[in-house]
């Protein structure tokens, strides 16, 4: 008999019934402000002391009821720096494909909780440990598995940078995070379209963006308010190297310039050789008018980012077929 997903679980009952409906023992503790006592119905207090994430009930059954609990286990372990108890961890690899049944809109929300809450780098490590990341970013995972691309380093740098910004009280946007995490799948497809020889570079980039976004939204639904800025950030990766004359000032006035510039810096920090493009733009932003004229007399960098190994194969979206 197949296990059905739980669609609604908000039926009120006693405090003990409510506790036992929760996912993990450490999430089923209740504090009483009247007498400063803690009510523990699931043996969660010892797990809290031992820094353990333990499922309430039989783990495989609970994951089948709601596969997102696998992501929640990874998220709590990352956020609290706890260890996932062995029996709670054991079924995750086998049952992780069940995440393909979850609505993309819900997985988009889960991706933000995991990666934009201040512990994204740790959450990413937990997801890779249990092979969960591919169900949020299937195209990125495909390239993560390809040693010819520097994506693993880029992903880590993107998430560490996001964590640092949040720690400093700075704003973060899903548009930048998704644009950065999908950059290499986008760039790979861009190179393949260029190889076909039918479209000029900018149109090839637009077509690659269409295809990558179309595949990605089958995993995590990206609202248009984020996908539109993502396209602009990607387009600027081709335009920022072409900064001769007045183009530099025009590019700096673009509303997505700062995000695109930050992605250039992250790409270079991940090992890409962009002929000093990030440093050029750093210098240009700090320079006065005379210094900017001098910078614009320098030899222009290549019109396109340096190409890596080209492939004609289209990245697959296997987990969601």
């Amino acid at each position: 008999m197949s296990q059905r997903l739980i669609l609604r679980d908000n039926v009120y009952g006693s405090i003990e019934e409510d506790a036992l409906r929760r996912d993990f023992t450490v999430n089923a503790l209740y504090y009483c402000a009247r007498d400063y006592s803690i009510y523990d119905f699931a043996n969660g207090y010892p797990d809290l002391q031992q820094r353990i994430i333990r499922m309430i009930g039989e783990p495989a059954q609970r994951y089948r009821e709601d596969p997102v609990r696998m992501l929640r286990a990874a998220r709590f372990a990352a956020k609290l720096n706890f260890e996932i108890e062995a029996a709670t961890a054991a079924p995750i690899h086998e049952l992780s494909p069940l995440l393909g049944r979850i609505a993309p809109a819900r997985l988009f929300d889960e991706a933000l909780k995991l990666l934009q809450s201040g512990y994204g780098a740790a959450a990413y490590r937990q997801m890779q440990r249990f092979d969960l990341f591919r169900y949020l970013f299937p195209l990125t995972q495909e390239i993560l598995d390809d040693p010819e691309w520097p994506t693993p380093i880029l992903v880590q740098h993107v998430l560490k940078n996001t964590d640092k910004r949040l720690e400093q009280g700075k704003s973060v946007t899903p548009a930048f995070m998704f644009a950065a995490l999908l950059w290499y799948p986008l760039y790979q497809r861009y190179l393949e379209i260029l190889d076909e020889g039918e479209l000029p570079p900018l149109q090839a980039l637009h077509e690659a963006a269409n295809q990558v976004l179309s595949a990605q939204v089958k995993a995590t639904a990206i609202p248009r308010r984020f996908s539109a800025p993502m396209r602009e950030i990607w387009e600027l990766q081709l335009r920022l190297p072409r900064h001769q004359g007045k183009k530099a000032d025009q590019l700096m006035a673009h509303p997505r310039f700062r995000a695109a510039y930050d992605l250039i810096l992250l790409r270079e920090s991940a090992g890409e050789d962009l002929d000093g493009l990030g440093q050029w733009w750093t210098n240009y932003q700090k320079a006065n008018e005379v210094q900017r004229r001098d910078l614009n007399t320098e030899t222009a960098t290549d019109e396109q980012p340096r190409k890596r190994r080209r492939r004609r194969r289209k990245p697959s979206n296997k987990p969601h077929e």
Side-chain angles (χ1 to χ4, degrees):
M1 182 175 180
S2 63
Q3 181 71 44
R4 294 185 177 181
L5 292 174
I6 291 179
L7 300 180
R8 292 187 299 176
D9 190 23
N10 60 352
V11 178
Y12 295 100
S14 69
I15 186 173
E16 183 173 1
E17 290 171 334
D18 180 70
L20 296 179
R21 278 198 300 268
R22 296 182 179 272
D23 297 342
F24 307 108
T25 61
V26 295
N27 203 31
L29 297 170
Y30 295 80
Y31 175 71
C32 179
R34 184 174 59 251
D35 59 6
Y36 311 109
S37 60
I38 294 176
Y39 290 79
D40 182 3
F41 299 100
N43 205 36
Y45 192 70
D47 287 343
L48 184 67
Q49 292 180 307
Q50 296 175 42
R51 307 178 69 85
I52 291 174
I53 302 296
R54 187 191 308 272
M55 181 68 74
I56 297 174
E58 201 281 311
Q61 178 183 345
R62 301 301 304 278
Y63 291 141
R64 289 190 179 97
E65 291 172 350
D66 184 1
V68 169
R69 285 175 174 146
M70 291 180 276
L71 295 175
R72 285 169 56 82
R75 176 157 62 89
F76 282 133
K79 180 179 181 178
L80 301 172
N81 194 26
F82 282 16
E83 183 59 43
I84 301 175
E85 180 263 339
T88 301
I92 294 180
H93 275 96
E94 178 185 353
L95 298 180
S96 61
L98 294 177
L99 286 167
R101 299 159 55 184
I102 301 302
R106 188 179 180 197
L107 289 185
F108 174 79
D109 291 338
E110 291 299 323
L112 298 189
K113 292 176 185 177
L114 282 155
L115 303 177
Q116 284 205 309
S117 296
Y119 45 86
Y124 170 73
R125 290 193 294 272
Q126 289 287 347
M127 285 191 287
Q128 287 296 345
R129 173 187 173 191
F130 294 106
D131 199 28
L132 299 172
F133 186 75
R134 70 176 65 253
Y135 300 100
L136 300 180
F137 293 91
L139 299 184
T140 305
Q141 185 63 51
E142 182 172 320
I143 293 193
L144 279 166
D145 296 334
D146 185 341
E148 294 297 320
W149 292 80
T151 318
I153 300 175
L154 179 63
V155 170
Q156 293 163 17
H157 284 209
V158 169
L159 297 175
K160 287 178 181 178
N161 180 66
T162 299
D163 292 344
K164 183 177 179 181
R165 289 184 62 86
L166 289 167
E167 184 180 358
Q168 295 172 343
K170 297 180 180 179
S171 63
V172 296
T173 169
F176 178 79
M177 182 185 73
F178 273 78
L181 294 181
L182 291 170
W183 165 248
Y184 282 119
L186 178 281
Y187 191 49
Q188 182 193 48
R189 186 62 190 128
Y190 163 72
L191 293 180
E192 291 170 347
I193 294 172
L194 277 186
D195 281 347
E196 295 168 3
E198 297 180 2
L199 294 176
L202 193 56
Q203 290 184 31
L205 185 77
H206 291 166
E207 177 58 26
N210 290 339
Q211 295 182 18
V212 167
L213 286 171
S214 178
Q216 179 62 32
V217 297
K218 295 176 183 177
T220 58
I222 304 174
R224 181 173 174 78
R225 68 181 184 276
F226 300 131
S227 63
M230 288 170 61
R231 291 174 182 272
E232 294 179 298
I233 294 168
W234 287 337
E235 181 177 321
L236 285 170
Q237 300 305 292
L238 295 192
R239 294 178 61 193
L240 286 181
R242 306 175 63 181
H243 49 61
Q244 306 96 317
K246 296 181 179 180
K247 288 183 179 179
D249 291 331
Q250 293 171 352
L251 289 168
M252 281 183 59
H254 194 287
R256 309 299 171 203
F257 167 78
R258 183 70 199 190
Y261 163 72
D262 286 345
L263 181 51
I264 290 288
L265 295 181
L266 286 170
R267 290 169 58 198
E268 290 183 330
S269 72
E272 272 197 86
D273 182 2
L274 302 180
D275 295 329
L277 183 61
Q279 188 60 55
W280 191 95
W281 277 108
T282 299
N283 294 340
Y284 194 82
Q285 292 175 80
K286 295 178 179 179
N288 58 36
E289 186 175 350
V290 173
Q291 291 170 329
R292 288 183 177 184
R293 283 201 301 266
D294 292 340
L295 285 168
N296 270 325
T297 62
E298 296 177 355
T299 303
T301 54
D302 292 339
E303 181 173 314
Q304 300 172 21
R306 184 168 296 184
K307 298 180 181 179
R308 300 189 61 83
R309 180 181 175 186
R310 294 189 177 189
R311 299 208 169 144
R312 290 189 177 275
R313 65 180 176 85
K314 180 179 179 180
S316 67
N317 196 14
K318 256 186 162 180
H320 302 280
E321 289 178 349

